[in-house]
């Protein structure tokens, strides 16, 4: 039988005690890390919403005071409806509106409106759109449960393939067949938990075709290009965005996108 003296027993006890303390500390650190990760995951939406609300507050408190003279919004408001008549207006009225906007000096017209039903006067309105570089809207639907298919999607980009992170549409509300010869851009929104729209996909895929947003289509038309040079590449660098959208014909342009391929809508002005 092995015999140990008092000092040896004490040393062995102290070593075991230290080992126990280390194990307890490691367990505590592991538990704290797991708890932190759990809290961050569970509160990620709340954190995102809080940051977005703070950002929106800063926009409202410190808006840009510079007058934007490159863009003009033509609003179909209550006064317009009272003067012209209830919405939707006839195609003849829309054609006349397009002509008047052009006469006032607009070089490009973007219509945040979908015209899904064929109507009398579509040919007149289409002629005005083609004459004045008009772009009308369509809405690819991202909801997987949607079976809506109204009108016909048009304006797919040539040479651009469906790839991650371009989202896939599962339905759509698009232009009537009688208007598909016009240029189109989508206005599909990304609605946040609080009901605000802060993000939008610049490109959406449907049945292996890629469709640009209204803004991106307008930019391409302003550059005299029609989409063959649109690219989405992964961001590089510590402060780089997850993805970037670029147009090779517009040197230096890189639109930052989040991990889901969405671009931020700025309300600074």
């Amino acid at each position: 039988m092995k015999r140990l003296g008092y000092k040896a027993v004490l040393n062995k006890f102290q070593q075991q005690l230290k080992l126990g303390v280390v194990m307890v500390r490691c367990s505590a650190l592991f538990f704290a890390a797991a708890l932190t990760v759990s809290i961050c995951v569970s509160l990620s939406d709340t954190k995102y919403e809080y940051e977005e609300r703070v950002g929106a507050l800063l926009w409202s408190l410190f808006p840009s005071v510079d007058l934007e003279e490159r863009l003009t919004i033509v609003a179909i408001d209550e006064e317009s409806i009272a003067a012209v008549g209830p919405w939707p207006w006839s195609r003849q009225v829309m054609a006349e509106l397009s002509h008047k906007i052009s006469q006032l000096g607009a070089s490009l017209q973007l219509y945040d409106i979908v015209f899904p039903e064929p109507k009398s006067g579509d040919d007149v309105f289409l002629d005005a759109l083609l004459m004045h570089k008009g772009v009308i809207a369509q809405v690819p639907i991202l909801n997987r449960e949607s079976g809506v298919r109204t009108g016909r999607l048009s304006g797919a980009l040539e040479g651009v393939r469906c790839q991650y992170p371009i989202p896939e549409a599962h339905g759509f509300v698009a232009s009537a067949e009688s208007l598909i010869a016009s240029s189109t851009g989508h206005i599909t929104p990304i609605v946040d938990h609080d009901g605000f729209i802060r993000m939008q996909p610049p490109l959406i895929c449907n049945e292996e075709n890629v469709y640009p947003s209204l803004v991106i289509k307008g930019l391409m038309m302003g550059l005299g290009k029609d989409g063959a040079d649109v690219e989405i590449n992964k961001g590089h660098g510590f402060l780089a965005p997850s993805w970037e959208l670029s147009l090779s014909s517009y040197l230096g342009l890189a639109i930052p996108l989040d991990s889901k391929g969405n671009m931020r809508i700025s309300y600074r002005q």
Side-chain angles (χ1 to χ4, degrees), residues 162-184:
C162 292
Q163 64 181 47
Y164 187 82
I166 302 176
E168 177 75 24
H170 302 278
F172 53 83
V173 178
S175 301
E177 289 277 351
S178 49
L179 292 174
I180 61 171
S182 63
S183 297
T184 54

PDB file of all heavy atoms in Angstrom, residues 162-184:
ATOM      1  N   CYS A 162     -29.973  33.925 -64.107  1.00  0.00           N
ATOM      2  CA  CYS A 162     -30.463  33.801 -62.738  1.00  0.00           C
ATOM      3  C   CYS A 162     -29.370  33.187 -61.867  1.00  0.00           C
ATOM      4  O   CYS A 162     -28.808  32.141 -62.218  1.00  0.00           O
ATOM      5  CB  CYS A 162     -31.710  32.917 -62.693  1.00  0.00           C
ATOM      6  SG  CYS A 162     -33.160  33.650 -63.487  1.00  0.00           S
ATOM      7  N   GLN A 163     -29.054  33.811 -60.764  1.00  0.00           N
ATOM      8  CA  GLN A 163     -28.021  33.329 -59.862  1.00  0.00           C
ATOM      9  C   GLN A 163     -28.273  33.900 -58.472  1.00  0.00           C
ATOM     10  O   GLN A 163     -28.997  34.876 -58.309  1.00  0.00           O
ATOM     11  CB  GLN A 163     -26.629  33.764 -60.344  1.00  0.00           C
ATOM     12  CG  GLN A 163     -26.445  35.290 -60.332  1.00  0.00           C
ATOM     13  CD  GLN A 163     -25.082  35.725 -60.833  1.00  0.00           C
ATOM     14  OE1 GLN A 163     -24.614  35.254 -61.851  1.00  0.00           O
ATOM     15  NE2 GLN A 163     -24.439  36.619 -60.095  1.00  0.00           N
ATOM     16  N   TYR A 164     -27.682  33.261 -57.478  1.00  0.00           N
ATOM     17  CA  TYR A 164     -27.773  33.784 -56.128  1.00  0.00           C
ATOM     18  C   TYR A 164     -26.978  35.085 -56.077  1.00  0.00           C
ATOM     19  O   TYR A 164     -25.904  35.163 -56.674  1.00  0.00           O
ATOM     20  CB  TYR A 164     -27.187  32.761 -55.141  1.00  0.00           C
ATOM     21  CG  TYR A 164     -27.373  33.136 -53.702  1.00  0.00           C
ATOM     22  CD1 TYR A 164     -28.571  32.876 -53.042  1.00  0.00           C
ATOM     23  CD2 TYR A 164     -26.347  33.781 -53.004  1.00  0.00           C
ATOM     24  CE1 TYR A 164     -28.735  33.244 -51.727  1.00  0.00           C
ATOM     25  CE2 TYR A 164     -26.523  34.146 -51.687  1.00  0.00           C
ATOM     26  CZ  TYR A 164     -27.706  33.878 -51.048  1.00  0.00           C
ATOM     27  OH  TYR A 164     -27.876  34.241 -49.745  1.00  0.00           O
ATOM     28  N   PRO A 165     -27.485  36.157 -55.428  1.00  0.00           N
ATOM     29  CA  PRO A 165     -28.660  36.219 -54.551  1.00  0.00           C
ATOM     30  C   PRO A 165     -29.903  36.827 -55.215  1.00  0.00           C
ATOM     31  O   PRO A 165     -30.737  37.407 -54.523  1.00  0.00           O
ATOM     32  CB  PRO A 165     -28.160  37.128 -53.443  1.00  0.00           C
ATOM     33  CG  PRO A 165     -27.316  38.144 -54.181  1.00  0.00           C
ATOM     34  CD  PRO A 165     -26.666  37.386 -55.311  1.00  0.00           C
ATOM     35  N   ILE A 166     -30.055  36.733 -56.529  1.00  0.00           N
ATOM     36  CA  ILE A 166     -31.241  37.267 -57.191  1.00  0.00           C
ATOM     37  C   ILE A 166     -32.451  36.432 -56.769  1.00  0.00           C
ATOM     38  O   ILE A 166     -32.467  35.219 -56.973  1.00  0.00           O
ATOM     39  CB  ILE A 166     -31.084  37.228 -58.723  1.00  0.00           C
ATOM     40  CG1 ILE A 166     -29.852  38.027 -59.157  1.00  0.00           C
ATOM     41  CG2 ILE A 166     -32.331  37.779 -59.398  1.00  0.00           C
ATOM     42  CD1 ILE A 166     -29.573  37.955 -60.655  1.00  0.00           C
ATOM     43  N   PRO A 167     -33.478  37.047 -56.171  1.00  0.00           N
ATOM     44  CA  PRO A 167     -34.636  36.276 -55.700  1.00  0.00           C
ATOM     45  C   PRO A 167     -35.499  35.773 -56.853  1.00  0.00           C
ATOM     46  O   PRO A 167     -35.488  36.337 -57.955  1.00  0.00           O
ATOM     47  CB  PRO A 167     -35.400  37.283 -54.833  1.00  0.00           C
ATOM     48  CG  PRO A 167     -35.024  38.618 -55.391  1.00  0.00           C
ATOM     49  CD  PRO A 167     -33.602  38.485 -55.855  1.00  0.00           C
ATOM     50  N   GLU A 168     -36.271  34.726 -56.586  1.00  0.00           N
ATOM     51  CA  GLU A 168     -37.134  34.107 -57.580  1.00  0.00           C
ATOM     52  C   GLU A 168     -38.582  34.523 -57.346  1.00  0.00           C
ATOM     53  O   GLU A 168     -39.082  34.460 -56.222  1.00  0.00           O
ATOM     54  CB  GLU A 168     -37.020  32.586 -57.496  1.00  0.00           C
ATOM     55  CG  GLU A 168     -37.933  31.828 -58.426  1.00  0.00           C
ATOM     56  CD  GLU A 168     -37.479  31.857 -59.872  1.00  0.00           C
ATOM     57  OE1 GLU A 168     -36.265  32.047 -60.112  1.00  0.00           O
ATOM     58  OE2 GLU A 168     -38.332  31.691 -60.764  1.00  0.00           O
ATOM     59  N   ALA A 169     -39.252  34.954 -58.400  1.00  0.00           N
ATOM     60  CA  ALA A 169     -40.673  35.315 -58.321  1.00  0.00           C
ATOM     61  C   ALA A 169     -41.531  34.080 -58.579  1.00  0.00           C
ATOM     62  O   ALA A 169     -41.165  33.202 -59.353  1.00  0.00           O
ATOM     63  CB  ALA A 169     -41.010  36.404 -59.327  1.00  0.00           C
ATOM     64  N   HIS A 170     -42.694  34.038 -57.914  1.00  0.00           N
ATOM     65  CA  HIS A 170     -43.596  32.902 -58.053  1.00  0.00           C
ATOM     66  C   HIS A 170     -44.960  33.310 -58.602  1.00  0.00           C
ATOM     67  O   HIS A 170     -45.876  32.502 -58.640  1.00  0.00           O
ATOM     68  CB  HIS A 170     -43.758  32.218 -56.690  1.00  0.00           C
ATOM     69  CG  HIS A 170     -42.463  31.759 -56.119  1.00  0.00           C
ATOM     70  ND1 HIS A 170     -41.848  30.580 -56.467  1.00  0.00           N
ATOM     71  CD2 HIS A 170     -41.619  32.361 -55.223  1.00  0.00           C
ATOM     72  CE1 HIS A 170     -40.722  30.440 -55.811  1.00  0.00           C
ATOM     73  NE2 HIS A 170     -40.547  31.514 -55.053  1.00  0.00           N
ATOM     74  N   GLY A 171     -45.076  34.548 -59.014  1.00  0.00           N
ATOM     75  CA  GLY A 171     -46.288  35.069 -59.610  1.00  0.00           C
ATOM     76  C   GLY A 171     -45.996  36.492 -60.076  1.00  0.00           C
ATOM     77  O   GLY A 171     -44.892  37.009 -59.879  1.00  0.00           O
ATOM     78  N   PHE A 172     -46.964  37.142 -60.699  1.00  0.00           N
ATOM     79  CA  PHE A 172     -46.705  38.500 -61.167  1.00  0.00           C
ATOM     80  C   PHE A 172     -48.004  39.204 -61.555  1.00  0.00           C
ATOM     81  O   PHE A 172     -49.012  38.577 -61.874  1.00  0.00           O
ATOM     82  CB  PHE A 172     -45.755  38.500 -62.369  1.00  0.00           C
ATOM     83  CG  PHE A 172     -46.178  37.606 -63.505  1.00  0.00           C
ATOM     84  CD1 PHE A 172     -47.108  38.032 -64.455  1.00  0.00           C
ATOM     85  CD2 PHE A 172     -45.645  36.332 -63.629  1.00  0.00           C
ATOM     86  CE1 PHE A 172     -47.495  37.207 -65.493  1.00  0.00           C
ATOM     87  CE2 PHE A 172     -46.027  35.497 -64.672  1.00  0.00           C
ATOM     88  CZ  PHE A 172     -46.953  35.936 -65.606  1.00  0.00           C
ATOM     89  N   VAL A 173     -47.936  40.533 -61.495  1.00  0.00           N
ATOM     90  CA  VAL A 173     -48.943  41.414 -62.076  1.00  0.00           C
ATOM     91  C   VAL A 173     -48.177  42.295 -63.050  1.00  0.00           C
ATOM     92  O   VAL A 173     -47.342  43.105 -62.634  1.00  0.00           O
ATOM     93  CB  VAL A 173     -49.659  42.269 -61.013  1.00  0.00           C
ATOM     94  CG1 VAL A 173     -50.658  43.210 -61.678  1.00  0.00           C
ATOM     95  CG2 VAL A 173     -50.348  41.393 -59.986  1.00  0.00           C
ATOM     96  N   ALA A 174     -48.428  42.119 -64.341  1.00  0.00           N
ATOM     97  CA  ALA A 174     -47.618  42.775 -65.362  1.00  0.00           C
ATOM     98  C   ALA A 174     -48.506  43.478 -66.386  1.00  0.00           C
ATOM     99  O   ALA A 174     -49.729  43.517 -66.260  1.00  0.00           O
ATOM    100  CB  ALA A 174     -46.717  41.747 -66.038  1.00  0.00           C
ATOM    101  N   SER A 175     -47.853  44.022 -67.408  1.00  0.00           N
ATOM    102  CA  SER A 175     -48.562  44.802 -68.426  1.00  0.00           C
ATOM    103  C   SER A 175     -49.428  43.911 -69.307  1.00  0.00           C
ATOM    104  O   SER A 175     -49.151  42.727 -69.496  1.00  0.00           O
ATOM    105  CB  SER A 175     -47.552  45.537 -69.311  1.00  0.00           C
ATOM    106  OG  SER A 175     -46.752  46.403 -68.547  1.00  0.00           O
ATOM    107  N   ALA A 176     -50.459  44.531 -69.860  1.00  0.00           N
ATOM    108  CA  ALA A 176     -51.295  43.844 -70.843  1.00  0.00           C
ATOM    109  C   ALA A 176     -50.480  43.575 -72.102  1.00  0.00           C
ATOM    110  O   ALA A 176     -49.487  44.256 -72.390  1.00  0.00           O
ATOM    111  CB  ALA A 176     -52.513  44.712 -71.173  1.00  0.00           C
ATOM    112  N   GLU A 177     -50.883  42.567 -72.858  1.00  0.00           N
ATOM    113  CA  GLU A 177     -50.184  42.205 -74.090  1.00  0.00           C
ATOM    114  C   GLU A 177     -50.052  43.396 -75.040  1.00  0.00           C
ATOM    115  O   GLU A 177     -49.058  43.536 -75.750  1.00  0.00           O
ATOM    116  CB  GLU A 177     -50.927  41.071 -74.793  1.00  0.00           C
ATOM    117  CG  GLU A 177     -50.821  39.728 -74.104  1.00  0.00           C
ATOM    118  CD  GLU A 177     -49.534  39.008 -74.466  1.00  0.00           C
ATOM    119  OE1 GLU A 177     -48.828  39.490 -75.379  1.00  0.00           O
ATOM    120  OE2 GLU A 177     -49.244  37.977 -73.837  1.00  0.00           O
ATOM    121  N   SER A 178     -51.043  44.265 -75.034  1.00  0.00           N
ATOM    122  CA  SER A 178     -51.045  45.404 -75.955  1.00  0.00           C
ATOM    123  C   SER A 178     -50.037  46.478 -75.585  1.00  0.00           C
ATOM    124  O   SER A 178     -49.838  47.428 -76.347  1.00  0.00           O
ATOM    125  CB  SER A 178     -52.449  46.021 -76.009  1.00  0.00           C
ATOM    126  OG  SER A 178     -52.948  46.252 -74.701  1.00  0.00           O
ATOM    127  N   LEU A 179     -49.370  46.335 -74.430  1.00  0.00           N
ATOM    128  CA  LEU A 179     -48.391  47.344 -73.992  1.00  0.00           C
ATOM    129  C   LEU A 179     -46.993  46.770 -73.778  1.00  0.00           C
ATOM    130  O   LEU A 179     -46.088  47.503 -73.367  1.00  0.00           O
ATOM    131  CB  LEU A 179     -48.860  47.999 -72.684  1.00  0.00           C
ATOM    132  CG  LEU A 179     -50.108  48.882 -72.761  1.00  0.00           C
ATOM    133  CD1 LEU A 179     -50.517  49.339 -71.359  1.00  0.00           C
ATOM    134  CD2 LEU A 179     -49.879  50.098 -73.658  1.00  0.00           C
ATOM    135  N   ILE A 180     -46.791  45.488 -74.058  1.00  0.00           N
ATOM    136  CA  ILE A 180     -45.499  44.883 -73.711  1.00  0.00           C
ATOM    137  C   ILE A 180     -44.356  45.370 -74.588  1.00  0.00           C
ATOM    138  O   ILE A 180     -43.190  45.112 -74.275  1.00  0.00           O
ATOM    139  CB  ILE A 180     -45.558  43.344 -73.763  1.00  0.00           C
ATOM    140  CG1 ILE A 180     -45.904  42.863 -75.175  1.00  0.00           C
ATOM    141  CG2 ILE A 180     -46.542  42.805 -72.734  1.00  0.00           C
ATOM    142  CD1 ILE A 180     -45.762  41.369 -75.335  1.00  0.00           C
ATOM    143  N   ALA A 181     -44.649  46.076 -75.672  1.00  0.00           N
ATOM    144  CA  ALA A 181     -43.566  46.621 -76.490  1.00  0.00           C
ATOM    145  C   ALA A 181     -42.867  47.783 -75.794  1.00  0.00           C
ATOM    146  O   ALA A 181     -41.766  48.181 -76.199  1.00  0.00           O
ATOM    147  CB  ALA A 181     -44.109  47.071 -77.849  1.00  0.00           C
ATOM    148  N   SER A 182     -43.478  48.324 -74.746  1.00  0.00           N
ATOM    149  CA  SER A 182     -42.859  49.424 -74.004  1.00  0.00           C
ATOM    150  C   SER A 182     -41.793  48.888 -73.065  1.00  0.00           C
ATOM    151  O   SER A 182     -41.728  47.696 -72.777  1.00  0.00           O
ATOM    152  CB  SER A 182     -43.921  50.176 -73.203  1.00  0.00           C
ATOM    153  OG  SER A 182     -44.494  49.313 -72.240  1.00  0.00           O
ATOM    154  N   SER A 183     -40.945  49.769 -72.574  1.00  0.00           N
ATOM    155  CA  SER A 183     -39.933  49.379 -71.588  1.00  0.00           C
ATOM    156  C   SER A 183     -40.604  49.187 -70.233  1.00  0.00           C
ATOM    157  O   SER A 183     -41.563  49.885 -69.897  1.00  0.00           O
ATOM    158  CB  SER A 183     -38.848  50.448 -71.486  1.00  0.00           C
ATOM    159  OG  SER A 183     -38.155  50.570 -72.725  1.00  0.00           O
ATOM    160  N   THR A 184     -40.079  48.244 -69.439  1.00  0.00           N
ATOM    161  CA  THR A 184     -40.689  47.943 -68.147  1.00  0.00           C
ATOM    162  C   THR A 184     -39.627  47.786 -67.068  1.00  0.00           C
ATOM    163  O   THR A 184     -38.476  47.449 -67.346  1.00  0.00           O
ATOM    164  CB  THR A 184     -41.517  46.645 -68.213  1.00  0.00           C
ATOM    165  OG1 THR A 184     -40.683  45.580 -68.713  1.00  0.00           O
ATOM    166  CG2 THR A 184     -42.718  46.799 -69.107  1.00  0.00           C
TER     167      THR A 184
END
